[in-house]
Amino acid sequence: SCTKLMCNCRGKIDPGSASRYIMLLVHAHVQGPVDSWKEFPQSVWELLFDMFTRRYVFTRPEDLPRARVVWESTAQTNFRKSMWEAQDKATKTTSSRDPTAWLDYGPVWLKRDYWESLCHHWATGPWQERSQAAKRNRAAHPEKNVHTSGSVSYATHSQKLRHELERGPTFRELFDRTHKQKGTNEYVSESACTIAEAYDRTMADRYAEGTPQPDLDPEAWGDAAGGPRYMSIFL
């Protein structure tokens, strides 16, 4: 029998066990020295989604149009997180940021020769340059971490909005609630305003007027937020 699923207001899959199962599937089907979900062959994407839907089923009609895109976003995020955790653990174990020192400290879910190839790849100039550029970018844009939710969880904000609106809030409504100054229509930062506007434009371009539009398009949001690295910050 299949376990019932739903996509929550933040574009994630509930229950959490489904997300963990996606990660297990991805780990079991790494077919080479890849460190990005986009490097997986399309045939593997199709295989994994088919395997996933044999165990889990989306039951709410409103979830069906975005089920695949949310699944892919979850797979991409989980794989990126797994790879980052593997690098972080190797760094701490060896007390070195030199990838060539990590050769003997790969994750159990990745074949040793794949890990070794990745370590040599990460040790090259271009990858190191991108890594350092990303660090500088994060340091130069601290406002990307600004929001107004404080210690209040998104779930609590969602419940409050549901009560106020007498319906479930959309993703954008929840974003505005947590990224606008209270009592005003002003965003807490220029970045938040720019991202919201870029996302709205992208959605308008992608979905013709009158056609069904998903509550959240993770790919469009990732593009608007400046790529996957910033996507989670603004969710």
Side-chain angles (χ1 to χ4, degrees):
S1 62
C2 292
T3 300
K4 296 180 180 180
L5 287 179
M6 63 176 285
C7 299
N8 65 29
C9 63
R10 294 177 64 190
K12 293 186 177 181
I13 292 176
D14 285 331
S17 59
S19 178
R20 290 189 291 273
Y21 182 60
I22 292 174
M23 184 163 60
L24 290 175
L25 287 176
V26 173
H27 285 176
H29 290 81
V30 178
Q31 299 183 344
V34 298
D35 61 358
S36 167
W37 169 249
K38 292 183 178 180
E39 295 180 65
F40 280 70
Q42 182 70 35
S43 59
V44 174
W45 292 12
E46 300 298 335
L47 171 65
L48 298 188
F49 186 67
D50 179 64
M51 294 174 68
F52 178 76
T53 52
R54 292 178 190 175
R55 176 174 293 195
Y56 293 93
V57 60
F58 292 89
T59 56
R60 300 190 313 184
E62 62 267 32
D63 286 339
L64 297 180
R66 61 178 181 157
R68 177 59 183 262
V69 71
V70 172
W71 178 86
E72 287 190 7
S73 174
T74 302
Q76 177 177 332
T77 299
N78 286 355
F79 185 63
R80 183 174 63 247
K81 180 181 178 182
S82 294
M83 196 58 69
W84 180 86
E85 289 176 344
Q87 293 172 327
D88 185 59
K89 183 177 181 180
T91 299
K92 292 177 179 177
T93 301
T94 62
S95 299
S96 174
R97 292 187 175 278
D98 179 3
T100 59
W102 305 343
L103 296 176
D104 295 325
Y105 302 96
V108 296
W109 50 267
L110 188 63
K111 290 183 178 180
R112 181 183 174 91
D113 57 332
Y114 294 169
W115 174 256
E116 291 179 351
S117 294
L118 285 172
C119 287
H120 290 302
H121 167 67
W122 295 330
T124 62
W127 189 89
Q128 291 288 339
E129 290 170 6
R130 287 195 299 272
S131 178
Q132 292 302 317
K135 290 180 181 178
R136 290 193 297 270
N137 196 35
R138 289 195 297 274
H141 299 283
E143 75 277 5
K144 287 186 178 288
N145 291 304
V146 176
H147 56 78
T148 62
S149 59
S151 60
V152 181
S153 70
Y154 268 74
T156 300
H157 278 296
S158 180
Q159 290 173 358
K160 289 182 177 179
L161 271 175
R162 179 182 292 274
H163 178 73
E164 293 174 12
L165 302 172
E166 298 183 345
R167 60 170 172 76
T170 66
F171 168 76
R172 282 288 284 107
E173 288 170 338
L174 187 57
F175 178 81
D176 283 353
R177 169 59 65 92
T178 55
H179 289 82
K180 283 186 175 181
Q181 298 286 356
K182 293 182 179 179
T184 75
N185 197 40
E186 299 294 324
Y187 283 100
V188 295
S189 70
E190 184 177 345
S191 293
C193 179
T194 300
I195 288 170
E197 292 176 349
Y199 178 70
D200 289 344
R201 286 195 301 271
T202 300
M203 293 296 283
D205 291 339
R206 286 193 175 195
Y207 302 94
E209 186 175 353
T211 60
Q213 188 177 113
D215 180 39
L216 169 64
D217 184 325
E219 183 178 345
W221 186 253
D223 291 342
R229 184 178 299 277
Y230 288 129
M231 182 176 174
S232 60
I233 294 176
F234 278 96
L235 284 179

Short mmCIF file of all heavy atoms in Angstrom, two decimals, residues 25-46:
data_model
loop_
_atom_site.label_atom_id
_atom_site.label_comp_id
_atom_site.label_asym_id
_atom_site.label_seq_id
_atom_site.Cartn_x
_atom_site.Cartn_y
_atom_site.Cartn_z
N LEU A 25 16.97 6.91 -1.94
CA LEU A 25 16.92 6.52 -3.35
C LEU A 25 18.05 7.18 -4.14
O LEU A 25 18.72 6.53 -4.96
CB LEU A 25 15.57 6.92 -3.95
CG LEU A 25 14.34 6.09 -3.56
CD1 LEU A 25 13.09 6.69 -4.19
CD2 LEU A 25 14.50 4.64 -4.00
N VAL A 26 18.24 8.47 -3.90
CA VAL A 26 19.29 9.20 -4.61
C VAL A 26 20.66 8.61 -4.28
O VAL A 26 21.48 8.35 -5.18
CB VAL A 26 19.25 10.70 -4.26
CG1 VAL A 26 20.45 11.42 -4.86
CG2 VAL A 26 17.96 11.33 -4.77
N HIS A 27 20.92 8.37 -3.01
CA HIS A 27 22.21 7.80 -2.60
C HIS A 27 22.47 6.46 -3.28
O HIS A 27 23.60 6.16 -3.66
CB HIS A 27 22.24 7.60 -1.08
CG HIS A 27 22.40 8.87 -0.32
ND1 HIS A 27 22.38 8.93 1.06
CD2 HIS A 27 22.60 10.15 -0.74
CE1 HIS A 27 22.55 10.17 1.45
NE2 HIS A 27 22.68 10.94 0.39
N ALA A 28 21.43 5.67 -3.42
CA ALA A 28 21.58 4.32 -3.97
C ALA A 28 21.75 4.31 -5.48
O ALA A 28 22.09 3.27 -6.06
CB ALA A 28 20.38 3.46 -3.58
N HIS A 29 21.53 5.46 -6.12
CA HIS A 29 21.57 5.48 -7.58
C HIS A 29 22.56 6.51 -8.13
O HIS A 29 22.41 6.97 -9.27
CB HIS A 29 20.17 5.73 -8.15
CG HIS A 29 19.23 4.57 -7.94
ND1 HIS A 29 18.58 4.35 -6.75
CD2 HIS A 29 18.88 3.55 -8.76
CE1 HIS A 29 17.84 3.26 -6.85
NE2 HIS A 29 18.00 2.75 -8.05
N VAL A 30 23.56 6.85 -7.34
CA VAL A 30 24.64 7.70 -7.85
C VAL A 30 25.47 6.84 -8.80
O VAL A 30 25.98 5.80 -8.41
CB VAL A 30 25.52 8.23 -6.70
CG1 VAL A 30 26.67 9.06 -7.28
CG2 VAL A 30 24.69 9.07 -5.74
N GLN A 31 25.59 7.27 -10.05
CA GLN A 31 26.21 6.43 -11.07
C GLN A 31 27.56 6.95 -11.55
O GLN A 31 28.05 6.56 -12.60
CB GLN A 31 25.25 6.28 -12.25
CG GLN A 31 23.94 5.61 -11.86
CD GLN A 31 23.03 5.39 -13.05
OE1 GLN A 31 23.21 5.97 -14.11
NE2 GLN A 31 22.03 4.54 -12.87
N GLY A 32 28.14 7.83 -10.77
CA GLY A 32 29.44 8.36 -11.16
C GLY A 32 29.87 9.45 -10.20
O GLY A 32 29.17 9.75 -9.23
N PRO A 33 31.01 10.06 -10.45
CA PRO A 33 31.51 11.13 -9.58
C PRO A 33 30.78 12.45 -9.83
O PRO A 33 31.31 13.37 -10.47
CB PRO A 33 32.99 11.22 -9.95
CG PRO A 33 33.03 10.79 -11.39
CD PRO A 33 31.98 9.73 -11.51
N VAL A 34 29.56 12.54 -9.35
CA VAL A 34 28.75 13.74 -9.54
C VAL A 34 28.51 14.41 -8.20
O VAL A 34 28.35 13.74 -7.18
CB VAL A 34 27.40 13.42 -10.21
CG1 VAL A 34 27.62 12.83 -11.59
CG2 VAL A 34 26.57 12.45 -9.37
N ASP A 35 28.50 15.73 -8.18
CA ASP A 35 28.22 16.45 -6.93
C ASP A 35 27.04 17.39 -7.08
O ASP A 35 26.83 18.28 -6.25
CB ASP A 35 29.45 17.21 -6.45
CG ASP A 35 29.93 18.26 -7.44
OD1 ASP A 35 29.33 18.37 -8.53
OD2 ASP A 35 30.92 18.96 -7.14
N SER A 36 26.26 17.19 -8.13
CA SER A 36 25.08 18.02 -8.38
C SER A 36 23.95 17.15 -8.92
O SER A 36 24.18 16.25 -9.74
CB SER A 36 25.41 19.12 -9.39
OG SER A 36 24.23 19.75 -9.86
N TRP A 37 22.74 17.42 -8.45
CA TRP A 37 21.57 16.66 -8.91
C TRP A 37 21.39 16.79 -10.42
O TRP A 37 20.97 15.85 -11.10
CB TRP A 37 20.33 17.17 -8.18
CG TRP A 37 19.02 16.68 -8.72
CD1 TRP A 37 18.07 17.42 -9.37
CD2 TRP A 37 18.50 15.35 -8.67
NE1 TRP A 37 16.99 16.64 -9.72
CE2 TRP A 37 17.23 15.36 -9.30
CE3 TRP A 37 18.98 14.15 -8.15
CZ2 TRP A 37 16.44 14.22 -9.42
CZ3 TRP A 37 18.19 13.00 -8.27
CH2 TRP A 37 16.94 13.05 -8.89
N LYS A 38 21.74 17.95 -10.97
CA LYS A 38 21.56 18.17 -12.40
C LYS A 38 22.48 17.30 -13.24
O LYS A 38 22.26 17.15 -14.45
CB LYS A 38 21.79 19.65 -12.73
CG LYS A 38 20.72 20.57 -12.15
CD LYS A 38 20.94 22.01 -12.56
CE LYS A 38 19.84 22.91 -12.02
NZ LYS A 38 20.03 24.34 -12.40
N GLU A 39 23.50 16.72 -12.62
CA GLU A 39 24.41 15.84 -13.35
C GLU A 39 23.87 14.41 -13.47
O GLU A 39 24.44 13.60 -14.19
CB GLU A 39 25.78 15.82 -12.67
CG GLU A 39 26.50 17.15 -12.70
CD GLU A 39 27.85 17.09 -12.01
OE1 GLU A 39 28.74 16.37 -12.50
OE2 GLU A 39 28.01 17.73 -10.95
N PHE A 40 22.79 14.12 -12.75
CA PHE A 40 22.17 12.80 -12.88
C PHE A 40 21.49 12.71 -14.24
O PHE A 40 20.86 13.67 -14.69
CB PHE A 40 21.12 12.59 -11.79
CG PHE A 40 21.66 12.21 -10.45
CD1 PHE A 40 22.37 13.12 -9.69
CD2 PHE A 40 21.46 10.94 -9.93
CE1 PHE A 40 22.87 12.78 -8.44
CE2 PHE A 40 21.95 10.58 -8.69
CZ PHE A 40 22.66 11.50 -7.94
N PRO A 41 21.58 11.57 -14.91
CA PRO A 41 20.88 11.41 -16.20
C PRO A 41 19.37 11.53 -16.03
O PRO A 41 18.82 11.17 -14.98
CB PRO A 41 21.27 9.98 -16.63
CG PRO A 41 22.52 9.66 -15.87
CD PRO A 41 22.37 10.37 -14.56
N GLN A 42 18.71 12.04 -17.05
CA GLN A 42 17.26 12.18 -17.01
C GLN A 42 16.58 10.83 -16.75
O GLN A 42 15.56 10.76 -16.06
CB GLN A 42 16.75 12.75 -18.34
CG GLN A 42 15.25 13.00 -18.40
CD GLN A 42 14.80 14.15 -17.52
OE1 GLN A 42 15.53 15.13 -17.38
NE2 GLN A 42 13.62 14.06 -16.95
N SER A 43 17.17 9.77 -17.28
CA SER A 43 16.59 8.44 -17.09
C SER A 43 16.58 8.04 -15.62
O SER A 43 15.65 7.36 -15.16
CB SER A 43 17.38 7.39 -17.89
OG SER A 43 18.74 7.37 -17.50
N VAL A 44 17.58 8.49 -14.87
CA VAL A 44 17.63 8.19 -13.44
C VAL A 44 16.57 8.99 -12.70
O VAL A 44 15.92 8.49 -11.78
CB VAL A 44 19.04 8.47 -12.86
CG1 VAL A 44 19.05 8.30 -11.35
CG2 VAL A 44 20.06 7.55 -13.50
N TRP A 45 16.37 10.24 -13.11
CA TRP A 45 15.30 11.05 -12.52
C TRP A 45 13.97 10.32 -12.65
O TRP A 45 13.21 10.21 -11.68
CB TRP A 45 15.18 12.40 -13.23
CG TRP A 45 16.32 13.35 -13.04
CD1 TRP A 45 17.55 13.08 -12.51
CD2 TRP A 45 16.33 14.73 -13.41
NE1 TRP A 45 18.33 14.21 -12.54
CE2 TRP A 45 17.61 15.24 -13.08
CE3 TRP A 45 15.40 15.57 -13.98
CZ2 TRP A 45 17.97 16.57 -13.31
CZ3 TRP A 45 15.75 16.90 -14.22
CH2 TRP A 45 17.02 17.38 -13.88
N GLU A 46 13.70 9.84 -13.87
CA GLU A 46 12.43 9.17 -14.13
C GLU A 46 12.31 7.89 -13.30
O GLU A 46 11.24 7.59 -12.74
CB GLU A 46 12.30 8.83 -15.62
CG GLU A 46 12.35 10.03 -16.55
CD GLU A 46 11.21 11.01 -16.31
OE1 GLU A 46 10.15 10.59 -15.80
OE2 GLU A 46 11.38 12.21 -16.63
#
